[in-house]
């Protein structure tokens, strides 16, 4: 009896809006004289009403079992339509995963990816002129980079390594453009936290755990790491971030940990003279937030303004 009442109410509501059925499709319209477009199986027509899809937060959306390609919901966590492409969720404006387009910069072409409400470059930055690892990068109006083991081929694969001052171009303000192209900047600590909270399966954006230092979260690192290139425990690359283990340059001018560590600068200082950065390690599925000596040489990812 309850189901019958439900169906009767549903039919009355549909008739009140004007449901017109033809062999080629159905029109739901404010006007009872409307006809569906012949190319559509369902044609929604209105001059003063909208289409309201299911509203789910990120945890609820990710809990959908075996979503089919084409499934669409409104994500209340990031306030955007989300579209499942058969392997992962994208924002409605990014159904092909490349809504930010490509970026031509310093003779390189960079692809991009939207993750949540952010647009990131998918590759580590490789800008500037290579200098040997025993030379300190300086504020000389020339962008300087290290290549792991002083081998230019490593820059082509993993991007350049930069001391913090060189990365931010000696502008100590959060969100500094630094060595990024116009319209992009070195991500601040808070922007990394947002990324971590979006990709982690247990701790969401703004969870207090991201304010901690050390290795935090549950599996954000696993979702960010590339599926190849790591010595062990490779990643899932669930969101297309494609984090590679490019190693780093130590303040004593030596290089270390390629294939094991990926390390990136933020544009944030924890205190004057100490800079915040992020680490991914082959052995862990988490991600490290750490304060470090700005004389280290780390990778740089750019984020869109």
């Amino acid at each position: 009896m309850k189901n019958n009442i439900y169906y009767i109410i549903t039919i009355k509501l549909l008739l009140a809006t004007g449901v017109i059925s033809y062999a080629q499709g159905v029109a739901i319209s404010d006007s009872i004289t409307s006809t569906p477009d012949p190319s559509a199986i369902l044609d929604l027509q209105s001059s003063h009403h909208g289409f309201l899809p299911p509203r789910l937060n990120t945890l609820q959306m990710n809990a959908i079992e075996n979503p089919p390609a084409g499934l669409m919901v409104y994500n209340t966590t990031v306030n955007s339509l989300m579209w499942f492409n058969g392997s992962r969720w994208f924002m409605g404006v990014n159904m092909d995963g490349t809504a930010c387009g490509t970026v031509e910069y310093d003779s390189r072409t960079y692809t991009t990816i939207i993750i949540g409400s952010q647009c990131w470059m998918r590759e580590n930055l490789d800008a500037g002129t290579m200098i040997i690892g025993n030379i300190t990068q300086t504020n000389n109006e020339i962008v300087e980079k290290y290549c792991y083991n002083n081998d230019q081929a490593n820059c082509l694969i993993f991007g350049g390594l930069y001391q913090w001052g060189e990365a931010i171009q000696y502008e100590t303000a959060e969100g500094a453009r630094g060595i990024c192209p116009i319209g992009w900047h070195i991500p601040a600590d808070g922007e990394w936290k947002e990324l971590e909270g979006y990709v982690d399966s247990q701790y969401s954006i703004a969870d207090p755990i991201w304010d901690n230092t050390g290795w935090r979260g549950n599996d954000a690192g696993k979702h960010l790491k590339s599926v190849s290139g790591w010595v062990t425990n490779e990643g899932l690359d669930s969101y297309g971030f494609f984090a590679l283990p490019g190693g780093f340059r130590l303040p004593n001018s030596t290089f270390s940990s390629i294939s094991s560590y990926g390390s990136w600068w933020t544009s944030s200082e924890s205190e004057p003279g100490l800079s915040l950065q992020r680490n991914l390690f082959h052995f862990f599925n988490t991600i490290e937030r750490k304060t470090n000596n700005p004389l280290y040489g780390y990778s740089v990812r750019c984020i869109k303004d």
Side-chain angles (χ1 to χ4, degrees):
M1 181 65 178
K2 182 178 180 181
N3 285 340
N4 290 338
I5 293 173
Y6 169 80
Y7 290 138
I8 291 169
I9 293 173
T10 301
I11 290 170
K12 287 183 175 180
L13 288 173
L14 290 173
L15 290 174
T17 59
V19 181
I20 317 299
S21 179
Y22 288 79
Q24 71 270 25
V26 174
I28 298 178
S29 173
D30 295 328
S31 171
I32 62 173
T33 62
S34 297
T35 58
D37 187 281
S39 66
I41 191 170
L42 175 63
D43 186 355
L44 306 180
Q45 303 173 14
S46 177
S47 59
H48 52 274
H49 289 95
F51 168 68
L52 190 60
R55 284 87 69 202
L56 290 77
N57 61 36
T58 296
L59 291 177
Q60 293 168 330
M61 183 185 73
N62 289 334
I64 297 174
E65 294 186 6
N66 301 316
L71 187 67
M72 185 174 67
V73 303
Y74 184 83
N75 186 317
T76 58
T77 303
V78 297
N79 295 320
S80 175
L81 285 172
M82 300 290 290
W83 182 279
F84 194 75
N85 77 340
S87 60
R88 60 179 184 266
W89 291 95
F90 287 116
M91 292 179 69
V93 296
N94 189 38
M95 294 177 188
D96 62 355
T98 58
C100 301
T102 57
V103 181
E104 303 287 337
Y105 183 57
D106 199 24
S107 301
R108 292 288 301 268
T109 300
Y110 298 90
T111 56
T112 61
I113 188 71
I114 286 180
I115 304 177
S117 61
Q118 300 173 320
C119 178
W120 290 82
M121 287 186 177
R122 290 191 70 246
E123 297 88 17
N124 293 338
L125 197 65
D126 179 28
T129 301
M130 189 186 88
I131 61 174
I132 303 303
N134 60 4
I135 300 174
T136 299
Q137 295 171 350
T138 57
N139 186 9
N140 57 5
E141 299 185 356
I142 298 173
V143 176
E144 299 167 322
K145 67 180 179 183
Y146 302 117
C147 295
Y148 194 93
N149 278 348
N150 302 314
D151 185 347
Q152 181 72 43
N154 285 322
C155 275
L156 294 175
I157 299 171
F158 299 102
L161 299 173
Y162 304 89
Q163 294 177 322
W164 188 69
E166 190 72 10
I168 63 168
Q169 284 295 280
Y170 308 95
E171 179 188 343
T172 57
E174 282 199 327
R177 173 192 166 192
I179 57 175
C180 293
I182 294 173
W184 297 76
H185 62 273
I186 310 291
D189 182 53
E191 290 174 309
W192 272 99
K193 290 179 185 178
E194 182 177 339
L195 172 68
E196 294 160 343
Y198 187 84
V199 304
D200 196 272
S201 66
Q202 182 173 345
Y203 300 99
S204 60
I205 296 171
D207 192 290
I209 197 169
W210 303 118
D211 296 328
N212 297 338
T213 54
W215 296 94
R216 311 111 67 239
N218 179 52
D219 55 7
K222 186 75 171 178
H223 289 295
L224 293 175
K225 289 193 292 185
S226 60
V227 297
S228 62
W230 297 81
V231 63
T232 59
N233 193 30
E234 293 172 328
L236 297 174
D237 196 25
S238 305
Y239 296 86
F241 191 78
F242 196 61
L244 290 169
F248 48 85
R249 182 255 192 197
L250 287 86
N252 67 5
S253 304
T254 61
F255 295 92
S256 178
S257 301
I258 198 168
S259 300
S260 297
Y261 264 97
S263 302
W264 292 267
W265 285 122
T266 77
S267 55
S268 304
E269 290 181 294
S270 58
E271 58 184 272
L274 292 174
S275 311
L276 285 163
Q277 49 106 190
R278 293 298 192 275
N279 287 320
L280 295 175
F281 182 47
H282 73 96
F283 193 71
F284 297 145
N285 292 333
T286 51
I287 184 168
E288 184 180 30
R289 177 175 181 253
K290 187 176 182 180
T291 294
N292 223 332
N293 185 335
L295 294 181
Y296 273 85
Y298 291 141
S299 300
V300 165
R301 279 292 180 100
C302 299
I303 187 171
K304 195 171 179 62
D305 295 348

